[in-house]
Amino acid sequence: MKLIYQQMLSFLAMIIVALSVVSLLFIQTTSNNAWENNFRQLANYTTTIEQNAILSDGTMNNAFLDNSEQILSGQRIQFVIYDSKNWTRYPQTSSQGISSTYWKKLKKGEDVNLRTSVRVPDRNGKGTWRTQNMTIYYRPIFYSGKLAYVIGALSPVDTIQASINKTERNVFIGFVISAIAAIILSYFLAQYQVRKINRLRRATHEIAQGNYDVKIKKTGNDEISELANDFGEMTTSLQESQEEIKRQEDRRRQFMADAAHEMRTPLTTINGLLEGLAYDAIPEDMRAKSIELMRSETNRLIRLVNENLDYEKIRSNQIVLMRNTFNASDDLNNVASQLQKKADEAGDTITVNTPAELPVYADHDRFVQVIFNIMQNAIQFTQNGSITVTGRRAYHQSEFVISDTGIGMTEEQVKNIWERYYKADPSRKNTKYGESGLGMAIVHQLVQVHGGTIKVDSTEGKGTTFTVTFPDEDTAPKKTNEAADKNSQA
Ligand SMILES: Nc1ncnc2c1ncn2[C@@H]1O[C@H](COP(=O)(O)OP(=O)(O)OP(=O)(O)O)[C@@H](O)[C@H]1O
Ligand SMILES: [Mg+2]
């Protein structure tokens, strides 16, 4: 069954049940009230009769009774009076006595009210009789402790029944009108709900078709709107991850192309040189140089392969950190002097600002790798500028700032710098520094496994500043390296 009908049905069922209960209760109460009022009225009449129609000497004032009946004829009230022997004393025409069950009650002094069919004289004066459904109220009258009379007041059932029937009819009409109103209302309510769900359904369908661009507006504060909202967030993150996957894939493809290119060049060089050597095509004095060239090309290949392996290892938490606290100043100076030659070639000056003692808690070789990579990049992307390396203590950590006055990066480039295979400018490849686009990705991972932080500020055309921190032993994360250290010793 369609959701809209299900909803309508449940709304309707609820409304109809409620209406039925209310209607039944209403009819019940009004008819009870009608009967009760009727008996109360009859009781009042009997009191009046008792006070006025039965005289102190025990005789009856028939004239008063006749008058009363006449006055009340509009309400079709009749009176009957019985004596202590259950004989009718008024009206003279009546002959039926009170049944013994009620008579016993009356004798005990209890009032009796009942609904029954009685034979009543026709008022046509011909002395004929007819049966009629009547409500009767009997009141016993006692004189000095003995039952003397029973006064009965009768009114026909049909007057009350008529008013009850009228009420029932009105309630029924009300019921039908409310039910129709409920159907219309429930249709609109259900449609409102279903429309919201349908919007979600259409959106899901779109996504199933691969269109992640669907946007669902939030329309209310109910659960369905919340669901739509969550759904919207889900599509956004789906879209993001989809884009991320695509970006990774593009980068991977780019890398494969780059790697193939990188490897083909040295391999072709080596192959050419080997052929030259094999066919004695290389003059004696050039041989040493050729072998040296082959060696450096082989090293480049090895480096490319190793870096990839290294990155994967760090990323999958397989690396072993052998951490201890050492003086970082020595290493900063060492790296600076190692890179001095390259800096000179690029016309760069290197300045190292560091206190004589600068303790840092890290894996020594990895620390050097981080600083070396960042400084190497600084030189690589700076011509005739300056590179400044600053080392200092900070709160529970050591901080290293490497800044250059080189070409800098755009915001987009900064955003992607920790990505594997990322090279801000693909045309920069094939320099003497290798350029696999892995350096920063590795540095980033390394700093993270140390529990440190790395951030980069860069302005295109102005220069770049890297800030790296390494936490002290007391605040550095323990778990990875301890396990790793044990592994390494095993
Ligand atoms: N100091 C810097 N100034 C300007 N651009 C930089 C700087 N450092 C990094 N970059 C940009 O970030 C990119 C990524 O750097 P990364 O060190 O990861 O790769 P790479 O230097 O190209 O290759 P390699 O893996 O050989 O280091 C660089 O290609 C460069 O475009
Ligand atoms: Mg680099």
Side-chain angles (χ1 to χ4, degrees):
M1 201 193 318
K2 281 210 153 197
L3 190 62
I4 186 160
Y5 300 126
Q6 288 180 29
Q7 295 252 347
M8 273 181 75
L9 239 143
S10 58
F11 282 138
L12 263 184
M14 250 159 48
I15 293 170
I16 300 273
V17 167
L19 272 177
S20 311
V21 170
V22 170
S23 310
L24 282 179
L25 281 179
F26 184 76
I27 290 173
Q28 189 78 36
T29 333
T30 35
S31 69
N32 279 351
N33 274 346
W35 291 115
E36 262 169 36
N37 281 341
N38 173 64
F39 283 122
R40 204 172 305 130
Q41 210 177 19
L42 293 180
N44 287 341
Y45 291 144
T46 55
T47 316
T48 317
I49 298 299
E50 181 192 351
Q51 284 163 359
N52 299 291
I54 297 179
L55 305 172
S56 52
D57 60 356
T59 56
M60 284 186 317
N61 184 348
N62 280 9
F64 178 82
L65 287 164
D66 289 339
N67 279 342
S68 305
E69 274 201 343
Q70 219 153 32
I71 293 167
L72 293 172
S73 64
Q75 293 172 44
R76 294 152 76 199
I77 306 286
Q78 292 168 37
F79 297 109
V80 193
I81 297 177
Y82 301 89
D83 64 11
S84 59
K85 296 199 175 73
N86 198 0
W87 287 348
T88 318
R89 293 287 297 277
Y90 176 91
Q92 260 92 34
T93 43
S94 175
S95 65
Q96 219 174 16
I98 300 170
S99 77
S100 59
T101 353
Y102 298 123
W103 191 253
K104 269 181 212 152
K105 277 192 176 176
L106 290 163
K107 268 180 139 177
K108 277 189 234 156
E110 290 172 28
D111 292 357
V112 167
N113 49 40
L114 61 131
R115 239 185 280 172
T116 182
S117 57
V118 292
R119 273 158 52 77
V120 290
D122 275 334
R123 297 199 168 227
N124 51 12
K126 291 178 191 158
T128 49
W129 295 75
R130 63 191 165 97
T131 49
Q132 190 173 17
N133 276 334
M134 287 288 201
T135 58
I136 312 175
Y137 183 87
Y138 290 124
R139 171 194 290 270
I141 312 291
F142 287 86
Y143 282 125
S144 51
K146 287 187 110 181
L147 182 70
Y149 294 106
V150 172
I151 307 173
L154 295 81
S155 83
V157 164
D158 49 14
T159 27
I160 305 158
Q161 200 58 54
S163 86
I164 291 173
N165 286 349
K166 202 171 162 194
T167 318
E168 280 177 356
R169 209 173 31 248
N170 285 344
V171 169
F172 179 73
I173 292 171
F175 184 92
V176 171
I177 293 174
S178 324
I180 292 172
I183 291 176
I184 296 171
L185 197 77
S186 66
Y187 174 75
F188 284 113
L189 270 173
Q191 212 189 29
Y192 174 69
Q193 301 282 356
V194 169
R195 209 178 304 139
K196 283 198 212 175
I197 293 173
N198 274 344
R199 270 196 326 148
L200 264 179
R201 232 189 62 191
R202 276 196 298 275
T204 344
H205 185 75
E206 285 288 304
I207 288 178
Q209 303 288 311
N211 174 16
Y212 295 91
D213 271 340
V214 280
K215 291 275 172 285
I216 306 177
K217 265 191 277 150
K218 197 179 172 189
T219 47
N221 270 328
D222 59 4
E223 279 81 352
I224 295 180
S225 310
E226 294 289 336
L227 179 68
N229 206 31
D230 292 347
F231 187 82
E233 277 170 24
M234 192 192 78
T235 39
T236 314
S237 71
L238 249 179
Q239 191 175 16
E240 273 169 14
S241 49
Q242 203 69 17
E243 278 164 9
E244 175 61 26
I245 290 171
K246 198 173 163 294
R247 274 200 317 179
Q248 291 276 3
E249 181 57 24
D250 286 350
R251 215 161 287 143
R252 194 190 60 80
R253 208 172 291 141
Q254 179 70 39
F255 171 74
M256 291 304 280
D258 289 351
H261 180 85
E262 297 276 300
M263 285 181 188
R264 200 172 43 221
T265 319
L267 283 173
T268 323
T269 315
I270 293 166
N271 194 38
L273 290 169
L274 280 175
E275 269 179 14
L277 287 174
Y279 295 109
D280 273 335
I282 295 173
E284 196 70 41
D285 56 331
M286 291 293 282
R287 276 192 187 178
K289 208 175 164 209
S290 304
I291 291 172
E292 180 53 37
L293 192 59
M294 284 198 289
R295 248 191 53 183
S296 82
E297 288 298 274
T298 326
N299 280 340
R300 219 175 98 182
L301 280 175
I302 292 171
R303 195 179 74 99
L304 196 70
V305 173
N306 278 347
E307 276 187 356
N308 267 298
L309 290 178
D310 204 24
Y311 177 83
E312 279 307 332
K313 250 190 182 166
I314 303 167
R315 222 173 65 117
S316 54
N317 245 334
Q318 282 174 10
I319 66 149
V320 175
L321 287 186
M322 308 266 267
R323 288 195 287 189
N324 57 336
T325 306
F326 54 89
N327 185 6
S329 292
D330 298 343
D331 295 296
L332 295 184
N333 286 314
N334 275 347
V335 173
S337 54
Q338 272 180 54
L339 288 169
Q340 191 58 55
K341 201 170 147 240
K342 279 172 183 160
D344 290 342
E345 284 166 16
D348 297 330
T349 56
I350 303 181
T351 319
V352 181
N353 296 321
T354 165
E357 279 293 324
L358 179 59
V360 61
Y361 178 68
D363 179 310
H364 181 260
D365 290 350
R366 296 305 191 174
F367 171 77
V368 172
Q369 190 181 350
V370 167
I371 300 295
F372 190 91
N373 261 290
I374 299 175
M375 280 183 70
Q376 195 184 38
N377 276 353
I379 297 168
Q380 186 180 346
F381 299 108
T382 308
Q383 288 292 317
N384 304 319
S386 62
I387 287 112
T388 315
V389 185
T390 311
R392 55 178 172 233
R393 286 291 300 157
Y395 183 69
H396 284 302
Q397 60 187 17
S398 293
E399 191 176 79
F400 304 90
V401 182
I402 297 115
S403 50
D404 63 59
T405 56
I407 59 171
M409 284 175 275
T410 62
E411 247 174 62
E412 178 69 19
Q413 291 168 342
V414 169
K415 217 171 80 188
N416 286 302
I417 190 162
W418 313 128
E419 301 280 1
R420 190 186 189 187
Y421 311 134
Y422 183 77
K423 288 184 237 180
D425 178 359
S427 67
R428 292 178 192 173
K429 60 191 165 196
N430 260 339
T431 72
K432 53 197 158 195
Y433 301 113
E435 291 225 350
S436 58
L438 274 167
M440 283 303 111
I442 293 174
V443 163
H444 186 232
Q445 295 285 345
L446 275 179
V447 174
Q448 277 189 335
V449 293
H450 275 88
T453 60
I454 180 162
K455 73 177 176 60
V456 55
D457 291 307
S458 190
T459 316
E460 208 181 358
K462 290 254 167 66
T464 307
T465 302
F466 283 90
T467 310
V468 189
T469 65
F470 284 90
D472 289 346
E473 190 168 1
D474 50 351
T475 48
K478 296 275 178 280
K479 84 181 190 314
T480 43
N481 7 302
E482 266 170 7
D485 283 354
K486 260 184 223 126
N487 285 348
S488 71
Q489 277 148 20

